[in-house]
Amino acid sequence: MWESAFRDKSAEKRLFRARAITLAVIIMALLGILAWRMAHLQITEHEKYKDLSENNRIALRPVAPTRGLIYDRNGVLLAENIPSYSLTLVPERVNDLEQTLAEVDRLIGLSERDREKFEQRLNLRRSPYEPVVVRHRLNEEEIASILVNRFFLPGIEVEAQLVRHYPLGDSFAHVLGYVGRINAKDQSRIESDEEQKRRYSATHHIGKIGIERRYENLLHGEVGYQKVETNARGRVLRVLEQQDPVPGQDLTLHLDARLQQRAQQEMQGFRGAAVAIDVNTGGILAFYSNPAFDPNLFVTGISYKDYGDLSNDPDQPLFDRAARGQYPPASTLKAFVGLAILESGVADWDTTISDPGWFKIDNYDRVYRDWKRTGHGTVDMHKAMVESCDTYFYELSVRMGIDHFSPFLGQFGFGRDTSVDVINALPGLLPDREWKRHHRGSFWFAGDTVNMSIGQGFMKATPLQMATATAVLAAHGRWHLPRLLAATNGEAFVPEQSAPPDIKLKDPQHWQRMAKAMEDVIIGPHGTGWRLRKTLKVPMAGKTGTAQVVGIKQNEEYDSEALAERLRDHALFTAFAPVENPQIAVAVIVENGESSGTTAGPVAQALINQYLAEESN
């Protein structure tokens, strides 16, 4: 009763009204802010959130281009793309990676190698949602097992893809090379270039060696894109737009598959190399190194066992002898030495010496032996070439001197890599005074010239260089750069680099006379290549050579039986044919083959006979 007497109802009403108004203002302000925010999101930033929404539903996926094919000069397919099925996994869509891999192992089996390669690919992936290959080359039964259980394997897919295949296998292993998985080194190089990063955004393979690497930019093609609609799990529902990839260019090579396979056939049982060149174009017709390997082993990842077998093989099948084997050219160099002597003016074709079977430099005790211990008697240039008289070249090369010798040989491509597209070809070694001073810290001596005159000593050349020099000799000094690529997508390939200048002799007749001397090496009664006469089908000019692997002391004789097989002399043979109108030049080396007349010579002759028989048909 006392409480009601003292209450101020009027004040209470005013307080209530004030609180109600304040609350209403706050509510209206909040509603206003909410309305403004909604309007801002719905109207002002409509496009932004529309794009974000679309991006949750729509993804842009790169599409890998089809790699270009490789053909030989007659249209024989050397490198193709064949369909293959791979098991892939997107880790971001997998709840338990180990459990998923264990289930896959239960269904189709995963080796330790498969798991190791998967881990490597996982570390190299370029996008969080990029599928990572778990296993390549699934068979039909394995595909069925995965597809039946796909509901229990989120993130697992079976993808069809084209993989590189080399139908002629080891015949073209070193020259074509192979493609392999993009590794960390490749990835680093790609990531450093935005254009390359874009081009390889969907590609998992890249050219590693040979033509596949040299012309990677032509073979790869241009990446395409798909705009796809996905569900909440990231599975593609449909393709909304597509920009097709541009396939890589098809390459046609100068190589002749039949000639290459003939080289392989003839080289069976030997270690060595054979290179054949078109005299009139510089096109490389055959480029074979033996033993070889199957490049298909490398495409999807070679096993440790297979790679160990190759790398530990004492015959070194991974070593490209044709481009990287550097050997003493031995007596195959004598045709070029003879021309150098003629050009220097110290002798002509009629200049003779008396050969007792040895040569001594004035005021020097060492005796340089001829291969024929009893000597060749009176010898002129023609006889010296036919019988491969060492003493003749010893004496006249010393008269000529190294200062004319080396520069003249350099005109034929010795001492440098003149090829257009033989990747990693070594330059050999063409020594001179400056080279010896710089690398050996010593002066050039007359004895160095003696050794070099018969293609021994410091000088080294690759089979590719020997074939190139022989082609220039056959063409009477006309240069064509040795090259493999003939055309891209049917359009003739023209090298950007220019050939060395043609060689002009003071007397052009020297070319014909040297060719005749080389022909008599085979058909002459005392020619060192006489064993080839029986199987001679076309007029052929050639030169035998035997390169020492180990030095023989001055008073010792070479005893083949006393030497281990790998310490025996190398056999070399260079040739071109036909003599009057040369079409093909060949160089062959057989490691530890000793007699070129029975090892290297028949290989070269077989290649020449087959090629000219093909051309005449």
mmCIF file with all atom_site columns, all heavy atoms in Angstrom, residues 298-311:
data_model
loop_
_atom_site.group_PDB
_atom_site.id
_atom_site.type_symbol
_atom_site.label_atom_id
_atom_site.label_alt_id
_atom_site.label_comp_id
_atom_site.label_asym_id
_atom_site.label_entity_id
_atom_site.label_seq_id
_atom_site.pdbx_PDB_ins_code
_atom_site.Cartn_x
_atom_site.Cartn_y
_atom_site.Cartn_z
_atom_site.occupancy
_atom_site.B_iso_or_equiv
_atom_site.pdbx_formal_charge
_atom_site.auth_seq_id
_atom_site.auth_comp_id
_atom_site.auth_asym_id
_atom_site.auth_atom_id
_atom_site.pdbx_PDB_model_num
ATOM 1   N N   . PHE A 1 298 ? 61.832 -47.333 -70.837 1.00 0.00 ? 298 PHE A N   1
ATOM 2   C CA  . PHE A 1 298 ? 61.973 -46.076 -70.115 1.00 0.00 ? 298 PHE A CA  1
ATOM 3   C C   . PHE A 1 298 ? 60.701 -45.224 -70.118 1.00 0.00 ? 298 PHE A C   1
ATOM 4   O O   . PHE A 1 298 ? 60.606 -44.271 -69.357 1.00 0.00 ? 298 PHE A O   1
ATOM 5   C CB  . PHE A 1 298 ? 63.110 -45.249 -70.723 1.00 0.00 ? 298 PHE A CB  1
ATOM 6   C CG  . PHE A 1 298 ? 64.472 -45.792 -70.439 1.00 0.00 ? 298 PHE A CG  1
ATOM 7   C CD1 . PHE A 1 298 ? 65.019 -46.796 -71.227 1.00 0.00 ? 298 PHE A CD1 1
ATOM 8   C CD2 . PHE A 1 298 ? 65.225 -45.315 -69.382 1.00 0.00 ? 298 PHE A CD2 1
ATOM 9   C CE1 . PHE A 1 298 ? 66.278 -47.304 -70.974 1.00 0.00 ? 298 PHE A CE1 1
ATOM 10  C CE2 . PHE A 1 298 ? 66.481 -45.817 -69.112 1.00 0.00 ? 298 PHE A CE2 1
ATOM 11  C CZ  . PHE A 1 298 ? 67.013 -46.819 -69.908 1.00 0.00 ? 298 PHE A CZ  1
ATOM 12  N N   . VAL A 1 299 ? 59.751 -45.527 -70.985 1.00 0.00 ? 299 VAL A N   1
ATOM 13  C CA  . VAL A 1 299 ? 58.626 -44.621 -71.216 1.00 0.00 ? 299 VAL A CA  1
ATOM 14  C C   . VAL A 1 299 ? 57.790 -44.398 -69.959 1.00 0.00 ? 299 VAL A C   1
ATOM 15  O O   . VAL A 1 299 ? 57.501 -43.259 -69.583 1.00 0.00 ? 299 VAL A O   1
ATOM 16  C CB  . VAL A 1 299 ? 57.747 -45.140 -72.371 1.00 0.00 ? 299 VAL A CB  1
ATOM 17  C CG1 . VAL A 1 299 ? 56.510 -44.255 -72.531 1.00 0.00 ? 299 VAL A CG1 1
ATOM 18  C CG2 . VAL A 1 299 ? 58.555 -45.150 -73.671 1.00 0.00 ? 299 VAL A CG2 1
ATOM 19  N N   . THR A 1 300 ? 57.380 -45.470 -69.298 1.00 0.00 ? 300 THR A N   1
ATOM 20  C CA  . THR A 1 300 ? 56.557 -45.320 -68.097 1.00 0.00 ? 300 THR A CA  1
ATOM 21  C C   . THR A 1 300 ? 57.342 -45.560 -66.816 1.00 0.00 ? 300 THR A C   1
ATOM 22  O O   . THR A 1 300 ? 56.778 -45.656 -65.740 1.00 0.00 ? 300 THR A O   1
ATOM 23  C CB  . THR A 1 300 ? 55.348 -46.284 -68.140 1.00 0.00 ? 300 THR A CB  1
ATOM 24  O OG1 . THR A 1 300 ? 55.823 -47.618 -68.331 1.00 0.00 ? 300 THR A OG1 1
ATOM 25  C CG2 . THR A 1 300 ? 54.415 -45.908 -69.272 1.00 0.00 ? 300 THR A CG2 1
ATOM 26  N N   . GLY A 1 301 ? 58.661 -45.630 -66.937 1.00 0.00 ? 301 GLY A N   1
ATOM 27  C CA  . GLY A 1 301 ? 59.502 -45.799 -65.764 1.00 0.00 ? 301 GLY A CA  1
ATOM 28  C C   . GLY A 1 301 ? 60.148 -47.165 -65.736 1.00 0.00 ? 301 GLY A C   1
ATOM 29  O O   . GLY A 1 301 ? 59.465 -48.168 -65.580 1.00 0.00 ? 301 GLY A O   1
ATOM 30  N N   . ILE A 1 302 ? 61.459 -47.196 -65.914 1.00 0.00 ? 302 ILE A N   1
ATOM 31  C CA  . ILE A 1 302 ? 62.182 -48.464 -65.944 1.00 0.00 ? 302 ILE A CA  1
ATOM 32  C C   . ILE A 1 302 ? 62.388 -48.972 -64.519 1.00 0.00 ? 302 ILE A C   1
ATOM 33  O O   . ILE A 1 302 ? 62.579 -48.193 -63.578 1.00 0.00 ? 302 ILE A O   1
ATOM 34  C CB  . ILE A 1 302 ? 63.537 -48.289 -66.666 1.00 0.00 ? 302 ILE A CB  1
ATOM 35  C CG1 . ILE A 1 302 ? 64.217 -49.638 -66.888 1.00 0.00 ? 302 ILE A CG1 1
ATOM 36  C CG2 . ILE A 1 302 ? 64.440 -47.321 -65.917 1.00 0.00 ? 302 ILE A CG2 1
ATOM 37  C CD1 . ILE A 1 302 ? 65.418 -49.571 -67.813 1.00 0.00 ? 302 ILE A CD1 1
ATOM 38  N N   . SER A 1 303 ? 62.342 -50.266 -64.343 1.00 0.00 ? 303 SER A N   1
ATOM 39  C CA  . SER A 1 303 ? 62.531 -50.856 -63.013 1.00 0.00 ? 303 SER A CA  1
ATOM 40  C C   . SER A 1 303 ? 63.998 -50.763 -62.614 1.00 0.00 ? 303 SER A C   1
ATOM 41  O O   . SER A 1 303 ? 64.887 -50.656 -63.452 1.00 0.00 ? 303 SER A O   1
ATOM 42  C CB  . SER A 1 303 ? 62.086 -52.321 -63.009 1.00 0.00 ? 303 SER A CB  1
ATOM 43  O OG  . SER A 1 303 ? 62.973 -53.108 -63.786 1.00 0.00 ? 303 SER A OG  1
ATOM 44  N N   . TYR A 1 304 ? 64.238 -50.822 -61.314 1.00 0.00 ? 304 TYR A N   1
ATOM 45  C CA  . TYR A 1 304 ? 65.612 -50.788 -60.821 1.00 0.00 ? 304 TYR A CA  1
ATOM 46  C C   . TYR A 1 304 ? 66.422 -51.952 -61.376 1.00 0.00 ? 304 TYR A C   1
ATOM 47  O O   . TYR A 1 304 ? 67.600 -51.811 -61.712 1.00 0.00 ? 304 TYR A O   1
ATOM 48  C CB  . TYR A 1 304 ? 65.624 -50.841 -59.292 1.00 0.00 ? 304 TYR A CB  1
ATOM 49  C CG  . TYR A 1 304 ? 65.192 -49.555 -58.635 1.00 0.00 ? 304 TYR A CG  1
ATOM 50  C CD1 . TYR A 1 304 ? 64.154 -49.538 -57.707 1.00 0.00 ? 304 TYR A CD1 1
ATOM 51  C CD2 . TYR A 1 304 ? 65.822 -48.346 -58.933 1.00 0.00 ? 304 TYR A CD2 1
ATOM 52  C CE1 . TYR A 1 304 ? 63.748 -48.365 -57.098 1.00 0.00 ? 304 TYR A CE1 1
ATOM 53  C CE2 . TYR A 1 304 ? 65.426 -47.163 -58.335 1.00 0.00 ? 304 TYR A CE2 1
ATOM 54  C CZ  . TYR A 1 304 ? 64.395 -47.179 -57.421 1.00 0.00 ? 304 TYR A CZ  1
ATOM 55  O OH  . TYR A 1 304 ? 63.996 -46.014 -56.825 1.00 0.00 ? 304 TYR A OH  1
ATOM 56  N N   . LYS A 1 305 ? 65.798 -53.108 -61.473 1.00 0.00 ? 305 LYS A N   1
ATOM 57  C CA  . LYS A 1 305 ? 66.505 -54.284 -61.970 1.00 0.00 ? 305 LYS A CA  1
ATOM 58  C C   . LYS A 1 305 ? 66.921 -54.097 -63.425 1.00 0.00 ? 305 LYS A C   1
ATOM 59  O O   . LYS A 1 305 ? 68.073 -54.345 -63.791 1.00 0.00 ? 305 LYS A O   1
ATOM 60  C CB  . LYS A 1 305 ? 65.628 -55.527 -61.835 1.00 0.00 ? 305 LYS A CB  1
ATOM 61  C CG  . LYS A 1 305 ? 66.313 -56.799 -62.346 1.00 0.00 ? 305 LYS A CG  1
ATOM 62  C CD  . LYS A 1 305 ? 65.389 -58.001 -62.298 1.00 0.00 ? 305 LYS A CD  1
ATOM 63  C CE  . LYS A 1 305 ? 66.112 -59.260 -62.763 1.00 0.00 ? 305 LYS A CE  1
ATOM 64  N NZ  . LYS A 1 305 ? 66.666 -59.125 -64.140 1.00 0.00 ? 305 LYS A NZ  1
ATOM 65  N N   . ASP A 1 306 ? 65.961 -53.673 -64.257 1.00 0.00 ? 306 ASP A N   1
ATOM 66  C CA  . ASP A 1 306 ? 66.274 -53.494 -65.682 1.00 0.00 ? 306 ASP A CA  1
ATOM 67  C C   . ASP A 1 306 ? 67.346 -52.425 -65.871 1.00 0.00 ? 306 ASP A C   1
ATOM 68  O O   . ASP A 1 306 ? 68.265 -52.576 -66.697 1.00 0.00 ? 306 ASP A O   1
ATOM 69  C CB  . ASP A 1 306 ? 65.013 -53.115 -66.460 1.00 0.00 ? 306 ASP A CB  1
ATOM 70  C CG  . ASP A 1 306 ? 64.054 -54.282 -66.614 1.00 0.00 ? 306 ASP A CG  1
ATOM 71  O OD1 . ASP A 1 306 ? 64.512 -55.429 -66.471 1.00 0.00 ? 306 ASP A OD1 1
ATOM 72  O OD2 . ASP A 1 306 ? 62.863 -54.047 -66.869 1.00 0.00 ? 306 ASP A OD2 1
ATOM 73  N N   . TYR A 1 307 ? 67.220 -51.319 -65.121 1.00 0.00 ? 307 TYR A N   1
ATOM 74  C CA  . TYR A 1 307 ? 68.220 -50.258 -65.271 1.00 0.00 ? 307 TYR A CA  1
ATOM 75  C C   . TYR A 1 307 ? 69.581 -50.720 -64.750 1.00 0.00 ? 307 TYR A C   1
ATOM 76  O O   . TYR A 1 307 ? 70.618 -50.420 -65.358 1.00 0.00 ? 307 TYR A O   1
ATOM 77  C CB  . TYR A 1 307 ? 67.793 -48.996 -64.526 1.00 0.00 ? 307 TYR A CB  1
ATOM 78  C CG  . TYR A 1 307 ? 68.725 -47.832 -64.789 1.00 0.00 ? 307 TYR A CG  1
ATOM 79  C CD1 . TYR A 1 307 ? 68.680 -47.151 -65.998 1.00 0.00 ? 307 TYR A CD1 1
ATOM 80  C CD2 . TYR A 1 307 ? 69.663 -47.442 -63.837 1.00 0.00 ? 307 TYR A CD2 1
ATOM 81  C CE1 . TYR A 1 307 ? 69.553 -46.110 -66.260 1.00 0.00 ? 307 TYR A CE1 1
ATOM 82  C CE2 . TYR A 1 307 ? 70.542 -46.406 -64.082 1.00 0.00 ? 307 TYR A CE2 1
ATOM 83  C CZ  . TYR A 1 307 ? 70.474 -45.730 -65.293 1.00 0.00 ? 307 TYR A CZ  1
ATOM 84  O OH  . TYR A 1 307 ? 71.355 -44.698 -65.555 1.00 0.00 ? 307 TYR A OH  1
ATOM 85  N N   . GLY A 1 308 ? 69.570 -51.471 -63.671 1.00 0.00 ? 308 GLY A N   1
ATOM 86  C CA  . GLY A 1 308 ? 70.827 -51.997 -63.147 1.00 0.00 ? 308 GLY A CA  1
ATOM 87  C C   . GLY A 1 308 ? 71.494 -52.940 -64.136 1.00 0.00 ? 308 GLY A C   1
ATOM 88  O O   . GLY A 1 308 ? 72.717 -52.902 -64.314 1.00 0.00 ? 308 GLY A O   1
ATOM 89  N N   . ASP A 1 309 ? 70.680 -53.774 -64.795 1.00 0.00 ? 309 ASP A N   1
ATOM 90  C CA  . ASP A 1 309 ? 71.229 -54.696 -65.800 1.00 0.00 ? 309 ASP A CA  1
ATOM 91  C C   . ASP A 1 309 ? 71.895 -53.929 -66.939 1.00 0.00 ? 309 ASP A C   1
ATOM 92  O O   . ASP A 1 309 ? 72.958 -54.325 -67.435 1.00 0.00 ? 309 ASP A O   1
ATOM 93  C CB  . ASP A 1 309 ? 70.128 -55.603 -66.357 1.00 0.00 ? 309 ASP A CB  1
ATOM 94  C CG  . ASP A 1 309 ? 69.635 -56.615 -65.330 1.00 0.00 ? 309 ASP A CG  1
ATOM 95  O OD1 . ASP A 1 309 ? 70.341 -56.820 -64.320 1.00 0.00 ? 309 ASP A OD1 1
ATOM 96  O OD2 . ASP A 1 309 ? 68.537 -57.164 -65.525 1.00 0.00 ? 309 ASP A OD2 1
ATOM 97  N N   . LEU A 1 310 ? 71.266 -52.827 -67.363 1.00 0.00 ? 310 LEU A N   1
ATOM 98  C CA  . LEU A 1 310 ? 71.817 -52.037 -68.469 1.00 0.00 ? 310 LEU A CA  1
ATOM 99  C C   . LEU A 1 310 ? 73.067 -51.266 -68.047 1.00 0.00 ? 310 LEU A C   1
ATOM 100 O O   . LEU A 1 310 ? 74.078 -51.263 -68.755 1.00 0.00 ? 310 LEU A O   1
ATOM 101 C CB  . LEU A 1 310 ? 70.757 -51.057 -68.988 1.00 0.00 ? 310 LEU A CB  1
ATOM 102 C CG  . LEU A 1 310 ? 69.569 -51.660 -69.738 1.00 0.00 ? 310 LEU A CG  1
ATOM 103 C CD1 . LEU A 1 310 ? 68.532 -50.586 -70.049 1.00 0.00 ? 310 LEU A CD1 1
ATOM 104 C CD2 . LEU A 1 310 ? 70.018 -52.331 -71.028 1.00 0.00 ? 310 LEU A CD2 1
ATOM 105 N N   . SER A 1 311 ? 72.982 -50.610 -66.896 1.00 0.00 ? 311 SER A N   1
ATOM 106 C CA  . SER A 1 311 ? 74.100 -49.751 -66.484 1.00 0.00 ? 311 SER A CA  1
ATOM 107 C C   . SER A 1 311 ? 75.319 -50.546 -66.034 1.00 0.00 ? 311 SER A C   1
ATOM 108 O O   . SER A 1 311 ? 76.452 -50.063 -66.116 1.00 0.00 ? 311 SER A O   1
ATOM 109 C CB  . SER A 1 311 ? 73.651 -48.798 -65.372 1.00 0.00 ? 311 SER A CB  1
ATOM 110 O OG  . SER A 1 311 ? 73.160 -49.515 -64.260 1.00 0.00 ? 311 SER A OG  1
#
